[in-house]
Amino acid sequence: MKLIKSLVVAAAISGLAVTGSLAGDDLVKKGEKIFMTKKLGNCIACHDINGKTLNGPGSMGPKLQYLSAWPEEALYAKVYNPYTTNPISQMPAFGKSGWLSDGEIKAVVAYLKTIN
């Protein structure tokens, strides 16, 4: 079962190369909507963004900054299952739990890549 999950994550991450080249304004806007929408990602409930004024608490999780420098694969993996790199993370495993689809996570990654 663990092998299957690893293969799913690897397949999704390999698709990021295509996503990166196609990450236009529409994908970024979709990712921003997921980030801000309570019934989707609701990232704003825990995260503040460097240099952006947001209407949300954003005080539980770390401030998101310099994400444009992060590899897309690392951002995808962090959203998919943050426990792989931080076993005591309070962030939900949005992909592993099925909360967000592969396409939704890729959209969030496209949006996160706009954060300096």
Side-chain angles (χ1 to χ4, degrees):
M1 190 67 159
K2 188 175 181 179
L3 176 63
I4 293 171
K5 289 178 184 179
S6 296
L7 290 173
V8 169
V9 171
I13 290 172
S14 67
L16 286 174
V18 173
T19 302
S21 63
L22 300 176
D25 287 341
D26 290 342
L27 192 60
V28 171
K29 286 178 186 175
K30 179 180 177 183
E32 183 176 20
K33 180 180 179 184
I34 293 166
F35 187 96
M36 304 289 186
T37 303
K38 187 174 185 175
K39 290 187 178 185
L40 292 173
N42 196 27
C43 309
I44 193 164
C46 297
H47 295 286
D48 185 12
I49 298 176
N50 188 40
K52 294 193 178 194
T53 303
L54 300 174
N55 184 20
S59 62
M60 292 172 52
K63 183 176 194 170
L64 302 181
Q65 55 188 355
Y66 312 118
L67 296 182
S68 60
W70 278 48
E72 290 178 356
E73 297 84 5
L75 289 172
Y76 186 97
K78 187 64 114 172
V79 175
Y80 185 86
N81 184 8
Y83 308 115
T84 56
T85 57
N86 181 0
I88 60 169
S89 177
Q90 297 300 308
M91 182 172 147
F94 287 99
K96 184 178 178 184
S97 69
W99 191 318
L100 294 177
S101 69
D102 175 64
E104 289 170 328
I105 295 173
K106 288 177 182 176
V108 169
V109 168
Y111 173 64
L112 293 176
K113 289 291 289 177
T114 68
I115 298 172
N116 294 317

